[in-house]
Amino acid sequence: DWARLSEIGSLLATGSDNDAAIYSKFRMPCHPVVHRAGLGLAALTRADKSAALAALQCRGSNFRAMQDPLAALVAAPTARQTGSPNERRRWDVADALSRVLSRATTLEAGEGGGEVFAVVPLHERLAHCGARGENTKLVGKDPVGREGGDADVLLVATRDIAEGEALTRDYTRAPRLPGDTSDGPLRLLLQFGLPPAAWVQPDE
């Protein structure tokens, strides 16, 4: 029951930066819940177990570095069946961080502006591109020069898109957390939540 599981906290908010010392006497590399999740992630993505665990630990470490100042900004934590108000604030921060990471992308800032990073809702709904490359891009300047268009963020085609062809983006170009070295299916699932069908990049 996923609804009930969502009430008991967040994997991001599980464990501490001292877990290696705490659990070494039990011959475990980290918090047992994080360890079990790493093994499952490795099995799902066929990634190296150490790489999967390192990716989870990297997310947890980055979350802990920002949780205190961000939790203070949560005026009314989400109502849940368990957890103190303080715990629920941190779970809300973890949920927000996961959404931000999945929506993080590159944005073409316009003429002479280069690329910048942005958080764009719904952009994580696009398919991952294949060998032909992405068929869309985000721009922060109206390419046809409409009045007031410089304030827009637009999704534009990079080439002709065939009827029935999925709109795609290159998820590998998205920003990542400091210290994150994950790639391939491991990163596509962990950061963006992309399903297995998105991990195969067919030659086109």
Side-chain angles (χ1 to χ4, degrees), residues 2-71:
W2 290 100
R4 290 184 62 190
L5 287 175
S6 70
E7 299 290 346
I8 61 173
S10 166
L11 184 61
L12 268 177
T14 300
S16 74
D17 291 327
N18 297 319
D19 280 354
I22 293 172
Y23 292 101
S24 61
K25 59 185 175 182
F26 302 108
R27 298 185 179 180
M28 298 191 69
C30 62
H31 192 288
V33 173
V34 177
H35 185 227
R36 186 165 64 246
L39 295 177
L41 186 61
L44 282 171
T45 61
R46 298 184 180 179
D48 179 78
K49 294 177 182 177
S50 297
L53 183 57
L56 285 176
Q57 290 176 314
C58 176
R59 286 169 65 93
S61 177
N62 277 280
F63 164 75
R64 288 187 289 276
M66 64 180 77
Q67 67 172 333
D68 288 338
L70 292 179

Short mmCIF file of all heavy atoms in Angstrom, two decimals, residues 2-71:
data_model
loop_
_atom_site.label_atom_id
_atom_site.label_comp_id
_atom_site.label_asym_id
_atom_site.label_seq_id
_atom_site.Cartn_x
_atom_site.Cartn_y
_atom_site.Cartn_z
N TRP A 2 1.07 1.84 -1.19
CA TRP A 2 1.99 2.96 -1.31
C TRP A 2 1.52 4.16 -0.51
O TRP A 2 2.32 4.95 -0.01
CB TRP A 2 2.16 3.34 -2.78
CG TRP A 2 2.93 2.31 -3.56
CD1 TRP A 2 2.42 1.35 -4.37
CD2 TRP A 2 4.34 2.10 -3.54
NE1 TRP A 2 3.42 0.56 -4.86
CE2 TRP A 2 4.61 1.01 -4.37
CE3 TRP A 2 5.39 2.75 -2.89
CZ2 TRP A 2 5.90 0.54 -4.59
CZ3 TRP A 2 6.68 2.27 -3.11
CH2 TRP A 2 6.92 1.18 -3.95
N ALA A 3 0.21 4.36 -0.39
CA ALA A 3 -0.31 5.50 0.37
C ALA A 3 0.13 5.40 1.83
O ALA A 3 0.52 6.39 2.45
CB ALA A 3 -1.82 5.57 0.27
N ARG A 4 0.09 4.21 2.39
CA ARG A 4 0.48 4.03 3.78
C ARG A 4 1.99 4.17 3.92
O ARG A 4 2.49 4.75 4.90
CB ARG A 4 0.03 2.67 4.30
CG ARG A 4 -1.48 2.53 4.47
CD ARG A 4 -1.85 1.20 5.08
NE ARG A 4 -1.28 1.05 6.41
CZ ARG A 4 -1.28 -0.08 7.08
NH1 ARG A 4 -1.81 -1.16 6.56
NH2 ARG A 4 -0.76 -0.15 8.30
N LEU A 5 2.75 3.66 2.97
CA LEU A 5 4.20 3.78 3.04
C LEU A 5 4.64 5.23 3.02
O LEU A 5 5.63 5.60 3.65
CB LEU A 5 4.84 3.03 1.86
CG LEU A 5 4.81 1.50 1.93
CD1 LEU A 5 5.37 0.90 0.66
CD2 LEU A 5 5.62 1.00 3.12
N SER A 6 3.90 6.08 2.31
CA SER A 6 4.28 7.48 2.21
C SER A 6 4.12 8.22 3.53
O SER A 6 4.62 9.33 3.68
CB SER A 6 3.43 8.18 1.13
OG SER A 6 2.08 8.31 1.57
N GLU A 7 3.47 7.60 4.50
CA GLU A 7 3.23 8.26 5.77
C GLU A 7 4.39 8.09 6.75
O GLU A 7 4.40 8.71 7.81
CB GLU A 7 1.94 7.71 6.42
CG GLU A 7 0.68 7.92 5.60
CD GLU A 7 0.27 9.38 5.55
OE1 GLU A 7 0.80 10.17 6.34
OE2 GLU A 7 -0.58 9.72 4.72
N ILE A 8 5.35 7.25 6.46
CA ILE A 8 6.35 6.92 7.48
C ILE A 8 7.66 7.65 7.27
O ILE A 8 8.65 7.35 7.92
CB ILE A 8 6.59 5.40 7.53
CG1 ILE A 8 7.12 4.88 6.20
CG2 ILE A 8 5.32 4.67 7.92
CD1 ILE A 8 7.53 3.43 6.24
N GLY A 9 7.70 8.64 6.39
CA GLY A 9 8.92 9.41 6.23
C GLY A 9 9.44 9.41 4.82
O GLY A 9 8.70 9.23 3.86
N SER A 10 10.73 9.62 4.70
CA SER A 10 11.37 9.74 3.39
C SER A 10 12.73 9.06 3.44
O SER A 10 13.46 9.18 4.43
CB SER A 10 11.53 11.22 3.02
OG SER A 10 12.41 11.37 1.93
N LEU A 11 13.09 8.39 2.37
CA LEU A 11 14.41 7.76 2.30
C LEU A 11 15.50 8.81 2.37
O LEU A 11 16.55 8.60 2.98
CB LEU A 11 14.53 6.95 1.01
CG LEU A 11 15.83 6.15 0.83
CD1 LEU A 11 15.96 5.11 1.93
CD2 LEU A 11 15.85 5.47 -0.53
N LEU A 12 15.26 9.98 1.77
CA LEU A 12 16.24 11.06 1.83
C LEU A 12 16.52 11.47 3.27
O LEU A 12 17.65 11.84 3.62
CB LEU A 12 15.72 12.29 1.06
CG LEU A 12 16.10 12.41 -0.41
CD1 LEU A 12 15.42 13.64 -1.00
CD2 LEU A 12 17.60 12.51 -0.57
N ALA A 13 15.50 11.43 4.10
CA ALA A 13 15.63 11.87 5.49
C ALA A 13 16.02 10.74 6.42
O ALA A 13 15.97 10.89 7.64
CB ALA A 13 14.31 12.50 5.96
N THR A 14 16.43 9.60 5.87
CA THR A 14 16.82 8.44 6.67
C THR A 14 18.33 8.37 6.79
O THR A 14 19.04 8.53 5.80
CB THR A 14 16.30 7.14 6.04
OG1 THR A 14 14.87 7.19 5.96
CG2 THR A 14 16.72 5.93 6.85
N GLY A 15 18.82 8.15 7.99
CA GLY A 15 20.25 8.00 8.19
C GLY A 15 20.92 9.30 8.58
O GLY A 15 20.27 10.34 8.74
N SER A 16 22.25 9.24 8.74
CA SER A 16 23.02 10.41 9.14
C SER A 16 24.39 10.34 8.51
O SER A 16 24.78 9.34 7.90
CB SER A 16 23.15 10.46 10.68
OG SER A 16 24.07 9.48 11.12
N ASP A 17 25.16 11.44 8.68
CA ASP A 17 26.51 11.46 8.13
C ASP A 17 27.47 10.59 8.95
O ASP A 17 28.61 10.39 8.55
CB ASP A 17 27.03 12.90 8.09
CG ASP A 17 26.30 13.75 7.06
OD1 ASP A 17 25.90 13.18 6.02
OD2 ASP A 17 26.13 14.96 7.29
N ASN A 18 27.01 10.08 10.09
CA ASN A 18 27.86 9.24 10.94
C ASN A 18 27.52 7.76 10.82
O ASN A 18 27.99 6.95 11.62
CB ASN A 18 27.70 9.67 12.41
CG ASN A 18 28.17 11.08 12.64
OD1 ASN A 18 29.19 11.51 12.10
ND2 ASN A 18 27.42 11.83 13.43
N ASP A 19 26.71 7.41 9.83
CA ASP A 19 26.25 6.02 9.72
C ASP A 19 27.38 5.02 9.55
O ASP A 19 27.29 3.89 10.03
CB ASP A 19 25.26 5.88 8.55
CG ASP A 19 23.87 6.35 8.94
OD1 ASP A 19 23.66 6.67 10.13
OD2 ASP A 19 22.99 6.40 8.05
N ALA A 20 28.44 5.41 8.83
CA ALA A 20 29.54 4.46 8.61
C ALA A 20 30.13 4.01 9.94
O ALA A 20 30.42 2.82 10.13
CB ALA A 20 30.62 5.11 7.74
N ALA A 21 30.28 4.94 10.87
CA ALA A 21 30.82 4.58 12.19
C ALA A 21 29.80 3.84 13.04
O ALA A 21 30.14 2.89 13.75
CB ALA A 21 31.29 5.85 12.91
N ILE A 22 28.54 4.27 12.93
CA ILE A 22 27.50 3.68 13.77
C ILE A 22 27.26 2.21 13.41
O ILE A 22 27.12 1.35 14.29
CB ILE A 22 26.19 4.47 13.63
CG1 ILE A 22 26.36 5.88 14.21
CG2 ILE A 22 25.03 3.75 14.32
CD1 ILE A 22 25.18 6.80 13.94
N TYR A 23 27.21 1.91 12.11
CA TYR A 23 26.82 0.56 11.68
C TYR A 23 27.99 -0.35 11.32
O TYR A 23 27.79 -1.52 10.98
CB TYR A 23 25.86 0.66 10.50
CG TYR A 23 24.53 1.25 10.88
CD1 TYR A 23 24.22 2.57 10.60
CD2 TYR A 23 23.57 0.50 11.57
CE1 TYR A 23 23.01 3.14 10.97
CE2 TYR A 23 22.36 1.05 11.95
CZ TYR A 23 22.08 2.37 11.66
OH TYR A 23 20.89 2.92 12.04
N SER A 24 29.22 0.17 11.39
CA SER A 24 30.37 -0.67 11.04
C SER A 24 30.50 -1.86 11.99
O SER A 24 30.95 -2.94 11.58
CB SER A 24 31.66 0.17 11.08
OG SER A 24 31.88 0.68 12.39
N LYS A 25 30.10 -1.68 13.25
CA LYS A 25 30.19 -2.81 14.20
C LYS A 25 29.22 -3.92 13.84
O LYS A 25 29.36 -5.05 14.32
CB LYS A 25 29.94 -2.32 15.62
CG LYS A 25 28.59 -1.65 15.85
CD LYS A 25 28.50 -1.08 17.26
CE LYS A 25 27.21 -0.31 17.47
NZ LYS A 25 27.14 0.29 18.82
N PHE A 26 28.22 -3.60 13.02
CA PHE A 26 27.29 -4.63 12.54
C PHE A 26 27.68 -5.11 11.14
O PHE A 26 26.93 -5.83 10.49
CB PHE A 26 25.87 -4.07 12.51
CG PHE A 26 25.36 -3.59 13.83
CD1 PHE A 26 25.21 -2.23 14.07
CD2 PHE A 26 25.08 -4.48 14.86
CE1 PHE A 26 24.75 -1.77 15.29
CE2 PHE A 26 24.62 -4.03 16.09
CZ PHE A 26 24.46 -2.67 16.31
N ARG A 27 28.86 -4.67 10.70
CA ARG A 27 29.38 -5.01 9.36
C ARG A 27 28.43 -4.55 8.25
O ARG A 27 28.24 -5.24 7.25
CB ARG A 27 29.65 -6.51 9.25
CG ARG A 27 30.72 -6.99 10.23
CD ARG A 27 31.06 -8.46 10.03
NE ARG A 27 32.09 -8.88 10.96
CZ ARG A 27 32.60 -10.12 11.02
NH1 ARG A 27 32.15 -11.05 10.19
NH2 ARG A 27 33.53 -10.42 11.88
N MET A 28 27.86 -3.39 8.46
CA MET A 28 27.00 -2.77 7.45
C MET A 28 27.61 -1.44 7.04
O MET A 28 28.18 -0.72 7.89
CB MET A 28 25.59 -2.57 7.99
CG MET A 28 24.88 -3.85 8.37
SD MET A 28 23.13 -3.58 8.70
CE MET A 28 22.54 -3.20 7.07
N PRO A 29 27.52 -1.08 5.76
CA PRO A 29 28.17 0.16 5.29
C PRO A 29 27.43 1.43 5.65
O PRO A 29 27.99 2.52 5.57
CB PRO A 29 28.21 -0.03 3.77
CG PRO A 29 27.03 -0.91 3.47
CD PRO A 29 26.91 -1.84 4.65
N CYS A 30 26.15 1.31 6.02
CA CYS A 30 25.34 2.50 6.28
C CYS A 30 24.05 2.08 6.99
O CYS A 30 23.92 0.92 7.42
CB CYS A 30 25.01 3.22 4.97
SG CYS A 30 24.05 2.22 3.83
N HIS A 31 23.12 2.99 7.11
CA HIS A 31 21.81 2.68 7.70
C HIS A 31 21.19 1.49 6.95
O HIS A 31 21.22 1.45 5.71
CB HIS A 31 20.90 3.91 7.58
CG HIS A 31 19.64 3.82 8.39
ND1 HIS A 31 18.60 2.99 8.04
CD2 HIS A 31 19.26 4.46 9.52
CE1 HIS A 31 17.63 3.12 8.92
NE2 HIS A 31 17.99 4.01 9.83
N PRO A 32 20.63 0.51 7.64
CA PRO A 32 20.12 -0.69 6.96
C PRO A 32 19.01 -0.40 5.94
O PRO A 32 18.92 -1.10 4.92
CB PRO A 32 19.59 -1.56 8.12
CG PRO A 32 19.49 -0.65 9.30
CD PRO A 32 20.53 0.39 9.11
N VAL A 33 18.18 0.60 6.19
CA VAL A 33 17.13 0.93 5.22
C VAL A 33 17.75 1.47 3.93
O VAL A 33 17.34 1.11 2.82
CB VAL A 33 16.14 1.95 5.82
CG1 VAL A 33 15.16 2.43 4.75
CG2 VAL A 33 15.39 1.32 6.98
N VAL A 34 18.75 2.34 4.06
CA VAL A 34 19.43 2.89 2.88
C VAL A 34 20.18 1.78 2.15
O VAL A 34 20.19 1.72 0.92
CB VAL A 34 20.38 4.02 3.30
CG1 VAL A 34 21.15 4.55 2.09
CG2 VAL A 34 19.62 5.16 3.97
N HIS A 35 20.80 0.88 2.93
CA HIS A 35 21.53 -0.24 2.32
C HIS A 35 20.59 -1.13 1.51
O HIS A 35 20.90 -1.49 0.36
CB HIS A 35 22.20 -1.06 3.43
CG HIS A 35 23.07 -2.15 2.91
ND1 HIS A 35 23.03 -3.45 3.40
CD2 HIS A 35 23.99 -2.17 1.92
CE1 HIS A 35 23.89 -4.21 2.75
NE2 HIS A 35 24.49 -3.46 1.85
N ARG A 36 19.44 -1.46 2.09
CA ARG A 36 18.48 -2.31 1.38
C ARG A 36 17.96 -1.60 0.12
O ARG A 36 17.80 -2.21 -0.93
CB ARG A 36 17.33 -2.67 2.30
CG ARG A 36 16.33 -3.67 1.69
CD ARG A 36 15.42 -4.28 2.73
NE ARG A 36 14.57 -3.29 3.37
CZ ARG A 36 14.65 -2.95 4.65
NH1 ARG A 36 15.55 -3.50 5.44
NH2 ARG A 36 13.83 -2.04 5.16
N ALA A 37 17.73 -0.29 0.23
CA ALA A 37 17.27 0.47 -0.93
C ALA A 37 18.33 0.48 -2.02
O ALA A 37 18.02 0.41 -3.21
CB ALA A 37 16.91 1.89 -0.52
N GLY A 38 19.60 0.58 -1.63
CA GLY A 38 20.68 0.57 -2.61
C GLY A 38 20.77 -0.75 -3.36
O GLY A 38 20.99 -0.78 -4.58
N LEU A 39 20.57 -1.85 -2.64
CA LEU A 39 20.58 -3.16 -3.29
C LEU A 39 19.41 -3.29 -4.27
O LEU A 39 19.58 -3.81 -5.38
CB LEU A 39 20.49 -4.27 -2.24
CG LEU A 39 21.68 -4.39 -1.27
CD1 LEU A 39 21.42 -5.48 -0.24
CD2 LEU A 39 22.97 -4.68 -2.04
N GLY A 40 18.24 -2.80 -3.87
CA GLY A 40 17.10 -2.84 -4.77
C GLY A 40 17.30 -1.98 -5.99
O GLY A 40 16.94 -2.36 -7.11
N LEU A 41 17.87 -0.80 -5.79
CA LEU A 41 18.14 0.11 -6.91
C LEU A 41 19.14 -0.51 -7.88
O LEU A 41 18.98 -0.41 -9.10
CB LEU A 41 18.68 1.43 -6.35
CG LEU A 41 18.89 2.58 -7.33
CD1 LEU A 41 17.57 2.97 -8.00
CD2 LEU A 41 19.48 3.79 -6.60
N ALA A 42 20.16 -1.17 -7.35
CA ALA A 42 21.14 -1.84 -8.21
C ALA A 42 20.49 -2.95 -9.02
O ALA A 42 20.78 -3.14 -10.21
CB ALA A 42 22.29 -2.38 -7.36
N ALA A 43 19.61 -3.72 -8.37
CA ALA A 43 18.93 -4.81 -9.07
C ALA A 43 18.03 -4.29 -10.18
O ALA A 43 17.96 -4.86 -11.27
CB ALA A 43 18.13 -5.64 -8.07
N LEU A 44 17.31 -3.19 -9.90
CA LEU A 44 16.40 -2.63 -10.90
C LEU A 44 17.13 -2.08 -12.11
O LEU A 44 16.68 -2.23 -13.25
CB LEU A 44 15.57 -1.51 -10.27
CG LEU A 44 14.40 -1.92 -9.38
CD1 LEU A 44 13.83 -0.69 -8.66
CD2 LEU A 44 13.31 -2.58 -10.21
N THR A 45 18.26 -1.42 -11.87
CA THR A 45 18.96 -0.72 -12.96
C THR A 45 20.16 -1.50 -13.49
O THR A 45 20.81 -1.05 -14.43
CB THR A 45 19.44 0.65 -12.47
OG1 THR A 45 20.36 0.47 -11.38
CG2 THR A 45 18.27 1.50 -12.01
N ARG A 46 20.46 -2.65 -12.86
CA ARG A 46 21.63 -3.45 -13.22
C ARG A 46 22.92 -2.65 -13.07
O ARG A 46 23.89 -2.84 -13.81
CB ARG A 46 21.50 -4.01 -14.64
CG ARG A 46 20.31 -4.96 -14.81
CD ARG A 46 20.25 -5.57 -16.19
NE ARG A 46 19.11 -6.47 -16.31
CZ ARG A 46 18.79 -7.13 -17.42
NH1 ARG A 46 19.54 -7.00 -18.51
NH2 ARG A 46 17.75 -7.92 -17.44
N ALA A 47 22.90 -1.75 -12.10
CA ALA A 47 24.08 -0.96 -11.80
C ALA A 47 24.93 -1.67 -10.76
O ALA A 47 24.48 -2.60 -10.09
CB ALA A 47 23.67 0.43 -11.28
N ASP A 48 26.17 -1.25 -10.62
CA ASP A 48 27.04 -1.77 -9.59
C ASP A 48 26.45 -1.42 -8.21
O ASP A 48 25.95 -0.31 -8.00
CB ASP A 48 28.43 -1.15 -9.73
CG ASP A 48 29.38 -1.63 -8.65
OD1 ASP A 48 29.89 -2.75 -8.76
OD2 ASP A 48 29.61 -0.86 -7.69
N LYS A 49 26.48 -2.37 -7.28
CA LYS A 49 25.88 -2.14 -5.97
C LYS A 49 26.52 -0.96 -5.26
O LYS A 49 25.84 -0.17 -4.61
CB LYS A 49 25.99 -3.41 -5.12
CG LYS A 49 25.16 -4.58 -5.64
CD LYS A 49 25.36 -5.82 -4.78
CE LYS A 49 24.57 -7.00 -5.33
NZ LYS A 49 24.80 -8.23 -4.54
N SER A 50 27.83 -0.85 -5.38
CA SER A 50 28.53 0.26 -4.73
C SER A 50 28.12 1.59 -5.33
O SER A 50 27.96 2.59 -4.61
CB SER A 50 30.05 0.07 -4.85
OG SER A 50 30.47 -1.09 -4.17
N ALA A 51 27.92 1.63 -6.65
CA ALA A 51 27.52 2.86 -7.31
C ALA A 51 26.11 3.27 -6.91
O ALA A 51 25.83 4.46 -6.69
CB ALA A 51 27.60 2.69 -8.83
N ALA A 52 25.22 2.29 -6.79
CA ALA A 52 23.84 2.59 -6.39
C ALA A 52 23.80 3.12 -4.96
O ALA A 52 23.10 4.09 -4.66
CB ALA A 52 22.97 1.34 -6.52
N LEU A 53 24.55 2.48 -4.07
CA LEU A 53 24.59 2.93 -2.68
C LEU A 53 25.21 4.31 -2.58
O LEU A 53 24.73 5.18 -1.84
CB LEU A 53 25.36 1.93 -1.83
CG LEU A 53 25.43 2.22 -0.33
CD1 LEU A 53 24.04 2.34 0.26
CD2 LEU A 53 26.23 1.13 0.38
N ALA A 54 26.28 4.54 -3.35
CA ALA A 54 26.94 5.86 -3.32
C ALA A 54 25.99 6.96 -3.80
O ALA A 54 26.00 8.07 -3.26
CB ALA A 54 28.19 5.83 -4.19
N ALA A 55 25.18 6.65 -4.79
CA ALA A 55 24.23 7.64 -5.31
C ALA A 55 23.19 8.00 -4.25
O ALA A 55 22.84 9.17 -4.07
CB ALA A 55 23.54 7.10 -6.57
N LEU A 56 22.69 6.99 -3.52
CA LEU A 56 21.73 7.25 -2.45
C LEU A 56 22.38 8.05 -1.32
O LEU A 56 21.77 8.98 -0.77
CB LEU A 56 21.17 5.94 -1.91
CG LEU A 56 20.15 5.21 -2.77
CD1 LEU A 56 19.76 3.89 -2.12
CD2 LEU A 56 18.91 6.06 -3.01
N GLN A 57 23.58 7.68 -0.96
CA GLN A 57 24.27 8.38 0.12
C GLN A 57 24.58 9.83 -0.26
O GLN A 57 24.52 10.72 0.59
CB GLN A 57 25.55 7.63 0.49
CG GLN A 57 25.29 6.30 1.18
CD GLN A 57 26.56 5.52 1.44
OE1 GLN A 57 27.41 5.39 0.56
NE2 GLN A 57 26.70 5.00 2.66
N CYS A 58 24.89 10.06 -1.52
CA CYS A 58 25.14 11.41 -2.00
C CYS A 58 23.89 12.27 -1.85
O CYS A 58 23.95 13.42 -1.39
CB CYS A 58 25.61 11.37 -3.46
SG CYS A 58 25.83 13.00 -4.21
N ARG A 59 22.74 11.72 -2.24
CA ARG A 59 21.48 12.46 -2.09
C ARG A 59 21.21 12.76 -0.61
O ARG A 59 20.81 13.87 -0.25
CB ARG A 59 20.33 11.65 -2.69
CG ARG A 59 20.31 11.62 -4.21
CD ARG A 59 19.33 10.59 -4.74
NE ARG A 59 17.95 10.90 -4.40
CZ ARG A 59 17.11 11.58 -5.18
NH1 ARG A 59 17.53 12.04 -6.35
NH2 ARG A 59 15.86 11.79 -4.83
N GLY A 60 21.41 11.78 0.24
CA GLY A 60 21.17 11.97 1.66
C GLY A 60 22.08 13.02 2.26
O GLY A 60 21.64 13.88 3.05
N SER A 61 23.35 13.00 1.88
CA SER A 61 24.31 13.96 2.41
C SER A 61 23.96 15.38 1.98
O SER A 61 24.01 16.33 2.78
CB SER A 61 25.72 13.60 1.93
OG SER A 61 26.66 14.54 2.37
N ASN A 62 23.58 15.56 0.71
CA ASN A 62 23.19 16.88 0.22
C ASN A 62 21.90 17.36 0.90
O ASN A 62 21.77 18.54 1.23
CB ASN A 62 23.00 16.85 -1.29
CG ASN A 62 24.30 17.00 -2.06
OD1 ASN A 62 24.81 18.10 -2.22
ND2 ASN A 62 24.85 15.88 -2.52
N PHE A 63 20.97 16.44 1.11
CA PHE A 63 19.73 16.81 1.80
C PHE A 63 20.02 17.29 3.22
O PHE A 63 19.50 18.33 3.65
CB PHE A 63 18.78 15.61 1.83
CG PHE A 63 17.67 15.76 2.83
CD1 PHE A 63 16.60 16.60 2.57
CD2 PHE A 63 17.70 15.07 4.03
CE1 PHE A 63 15.57 16.76 3.51
CE2 PHE A 63 16.68 15.21 4.96
CZ PHE A 63 15.62 16.07 4.70
N ARG A 64 20.87 16.57 3.94
CA ARG A 64 21.15 16.95 5.32
C ARG A 64 21.86 18.30 5.40
O ARG A 64 21.71 19.03 6.39
CB ARG A 64 21.97 15.86 6.01
CG ARG A 64 21.15 14.61 6.31
CD ARG A 64 21.93 13.61 7.14
NE ARG A 64 23.01 12.97 6.40
CZ ARG A 64 22.83 11.90 5.63
NH1 ARG A 64 21.63 11.35 5.50
NH2 ARG A 64 23.86 11.36 5.00
N ALA A 65 22.61 18.66 4.37
CA ALA A 65 23.32 19.94 4.37
C ALA A 65 22.36 21.12 4.23
O ALA A 65 22.70 22.24 4.60
CB ALA A 65 24.34 19.97 3.24
N MET A 66 21.18 20.87 3.68
CA MET A 66 20.24 21.97 3.44
C MET A 66 18.95 21.87 4.26
O MET A 66 18.13 22.79 4.25
CB MET A 66 19.89 22.04 1.96
CG MET A 66 19.14 20.83 1.42
SD MET A 66 18.74 20.95 -0.35
CE MET A 66 20.32 20.58 -1.10
N GLN A 67 18.74 20.77 4.97
CA GLN A 67 17.43 20.54 5.58
C GLN A 67 17.08 21.55 6.67
O GLN A 67 15.92 21.98 6.77
CB GLN A 67 17.33 19.12 6.14
CG GLN A 67 18.25 18.82 7.31
CD GLN A 67 17.97 17.47 7.95
OE1 GLN A 67 16.86 16.97 7.89
NE2 GLN A 67 18.98 16.87 8.54
N ASP A 68 18.02 21.95 7.50
CA ASP A 68 17.68 22.83 8.62
C ASP A 68 17.18 24.21 8.17
O ASP A 68 16.10 24.63 8.60
CB ASP A 68 18.88 22.98 9.57
CG ASP A 68 19.14 21.72 10.38
OD1 ASP A 68 18.20 20.91 10.54
OD2 ASP A 68 20.28 21.53 10.84
N PRO A 69 17.91 24.92 7.31
CA PRO A 69 17.38 26.23 6.89
C PRO A 69 16.10 26.12 6.07
O PRO A 69 15.23 26.99 6.16
CB PRO A 69 18.53 26.83 6.06
CG PRO A 69 19.40 25.69 5.69
CD PRO A 69 19.28 24.70 6.79
N LEU A 70 15.95 25.06 5.28
CA LEU A 70 14.74 24.92 4.46
C LEU A 70 13.55 24.50 5.32
O LEU A 70 12.42 24.96 5.09
CB LEU A 70 14.98 23.92 3.34
CG LEU A 70 15.97 24.35 2.25
CD1 LEU A 70 16.13 23.27 1.20
CD2 LEU A 70 15.51 25.65 1.60
N ALA A 71 13.78 23.63 6.30
CA ALA A 71 12.67 23.19 7.16
C ALA A 71 12.08 24.37 7.92
O ALA A 71 10.87 24.41 8.18
CB ALA A 71 13.15 22.12 8.13
#
